[in-house]
Amino acid sequence: KTLYVFSQYRVGERIFPTIPKMRKKSVLDCLFLYQMSFDYKWPGDYDVRDTFLKEYSKYFRNITSNKKTLNYNEYDLIICDDNRDTPKTKLREIYNQKTGVMIGCYHGAGEKWNNKTFFESGYKTVWDKTFVMGKSDSLKSYCIPIGIPSNDCLNKYTLEKKHILIIVNFLGNRYSPFEVNFDEKLFNNLDLINLQKKYDLPIILKLKSREDEKKTQDNNLSYIKKTMPEVDYKIIVDTEDNNKLITQSKLVLSAPSTLAYKSIQLGIPTVLIKGSGQLGNFGFYNGLVKNNKQLISDKIEELEKKPYDKAFIKKSIAGGIEFNSTNVMIKQIKKVLNDK
């Protein structure tokens, strides 16, 4: 028996493709916590939990948001979408009640959650093994690379080049832990007016749906309206298909973000703005550039000619070259269970 624990859609969706394969090997239950909980009011413009339930509920014997209804001793394996023990998830409580193997999957690519101190603090207190993205994150013997299973289907999409995509981390109208934010200075340095003239394509701004912005999304929209130059653009918070959003992009301009791995794996020119997000293994990526107008322009021109960074993908995303991370993760689960 296996229990999947999902707490945030944008974190959990990376491992959703493993569910049908795991159902062939095991009885599955599912626990929703935090943003995935049935009690949580979704802050974005589309409740992506509905997408999950429509696609995957048929594979589960039971889906619940009530931690107290589960007997954690009955599971041979518990797979958590996150490897952090937070006040919202309290994974340590589950760990202390289980007898089987508990795996925590990486929260993101940032160095904040991919360093020896972080891994050592979670080992045998929050999880028994942690699944990381690639070789560059495998810093301890219990850190096991699995890539990004949700990206496996990307090579089945047609690249359509319908828009310029900007993946926003923090806007400049709020507190941010980062030096660089998506504000008037950055939008100016992206030179969006000339980019739009060059490509003759609309611009899409992809925002994150954050819990602390439930009541401030209108403020975000008005802030963007004030700071964006006179270009043809629209704003998206949540979408049913992030893969389509990526594969329809001619160019991606982004903070260091897990979403950006999709365009990088596909060889779509992807420029990452240094300092606007957790760096993590993006420090090895050729498309990382400082918030400088000329440097950004030069990098776009460079990536137009040579967009595919095979060395980075091989080092950072297990199964990323072949788009077979799902099989990589299933094999690693089997190995973990055999070795227990």
Side-chain angles (χ1 to χ4, degrees), residues 224-242:
I224 290 170
K225 188 175 182 180
K226 285 190 294 184
T227 53
M228 277 286 282
E230 291 292 322
V231 290
D232 176 18
Y233 75 93
K234 71 175 182 177
I235 298 165
I236 290 177
V237 181
D238 298 301
T239 175
E240 286 188 64
D241 192 348
N242 276 329

Side-chain angles (χ1 to χ4, degrees), residues 9-23:
Y9 188 91
R10 67 173 181 263
V11 177
E13 69 174 333
R14 298 171 202 150
I15 63 171
F16 289 170
T18 64
I19 293 170
K21 288 181 179 286
M22 285 298 294
R23 180 61 188 88

Side-chain angles (χ1 to χ4, degrees), residues 166 183-196 203 205 223-233 293:
I166 301 176
D183 54 16
E184 189 170 0
K185 178 182 177 181
L186 177 52
F187 287 136
N188 178 61
N189 285 343
L190 293 177
D191 200 13
L192 296 176
I193 292 175
N194 284 324
L195 269 183
Q196 190 155 76
I203 294 167
L205 276 78
Y223 176 78
I224 290 170
K225 188 175 182 180
K226 285 190 294 184
T227 53
M228 277 286 282
E230 291 292 322
V231 290
D232 176 18
Y233 75 93
K293 193 169 191 174

Side-chain angles (χ1 to χ4, degrees), residues 109-125:
E111 63 276 14
K112 184 177 179 180
W113 308 290
N114 294 281
N115 62 77
K116 288 184 178 179
T117 301
F118 173 78
F119 291 139
E120 287 166 357
S121 69
Y123 181 56
K124 294 297 183 182
T125 60

Side-chain angles (χ1 to χ4, degrees), residues 151-335:
N151 285 6
D152 288 352
C153 63
L154 285 169
N155 62 351
K156 295 180 176 65
Y157 283 74
T158 301
L159 302 185
E160 299 183 67
K161 302 179 181 179
K162 289 186 174 182
H163 54 244
I164 299 163
L165 178 63
I166 301 176
I167 301 174
V168 175
N169 192 7
F170 285 92
L171 290 168
N173 64 335
R174 54 157 294 158
Y175 165 77
S176 162
F178 301 109
E179 177 186 348
V180 177
N181 298 291
F182 286 76
D183 54 16
E184 189 170 0
K185 178 182 177 181
L186 177 52
F187 287 136
N188 178 61
N189 285 343
L190 293 177
D191 200 13
L192 296 176
I193 292 175
N194 284 324
L195 269 183
Q196 190 155 76
K197 286 178 182 177
K198 178 180 178 179
Y199 293 128
D200 192 25
L201 292 171
I203 294 167
I204 293 180
L205 276 78
K206 171 70 173 72
L207 306 186
K208 283 185 177 180
S209 52
R210 299 182 186 276
E211 183 184 22
D212 64 353
E213 292 184 348
K214 284 180 183 179
K215 299 177 181 178
T216 59
Q217 284 292 8
D218 287 344
N219 293 342
N220 290 342
L221 301 185
S222 60
Y223 176 78
I224 290 170
K225 188 175 182 180
K226 285 190 294 184
T227 53
M228 277 286 282
E230 291 292 322
V231 290
D232 176 18
Y233 75 93
K234 71 175 182 177
I235 298 165
I236 290 177
V237 181
D238 298 301
T239 175
E240 286 188 64
D241 192 348
N242 276 329
N243 293 333
K244 196 170 185 180
L245 183 67
I246 294 291
T247 55
Q248 290 183 342
S249 301
K250 166 77 173 176
L251 171 70
V252 176
L253 306 168
S254 178
S257 162
T258 309
L259 190 58
Y261 286 109
K262 293 180 184 290
S263 53
I264 292 171
Q265 277 186 254
L266 287 167
I268 296 170
T270 303
V271 176
L272 302 183
I273 308 302
K274 190 173 183 179
S276 62
Q278 289 278 342
L279 185 61
N281 59 28
F282 284 122
F284 304 112
Y285 176 56
N286 181 49
L288 185 70
V289 66
K290 291 181 179 179
N291 183 17
N292 174 279
K293 193 169 191 174
Q294 189 59 53
L295 293 177
I296 292 171
S297 176
D298 291 345
K299 184 58 68 175
I300 291 171
E301 192 173 326
E302 176 190 332
L303 292 177
E304 284 175 335
K305 296 172 184 173
K306 191 180 178 183
Y308 192 64
D309 193 342
K310 185 175 181 179
F312 170 74
I313 297 168
K314 189 173 182 180
K315 185 172 186 175
S316 305
I317 310 169
I321 300 289
E322 304 84 3
F323 294 91
N324 72 339
S325 295
T326 301
N327 288 335
V328 170
M329 180 168 167
I330 296 295
K331 286 177 183 177
Q332 295 291 17
I333 288 172
K334 185 178 179 180
K335 188 174 185 299

Side-chain angles (χ1 to χ4, degrees), residues 1-5 29-31 70 72 75 77-80:
K1 294 179 182 177
T2 298
L3 175 67
Y4 276 91
V5 181
D29 287 340
C30 181
L31 174 62
L70 297 174
Y72 299 103
Y75 299 106
L77 176 66
I78 299 175
I79 303 172
C80 305

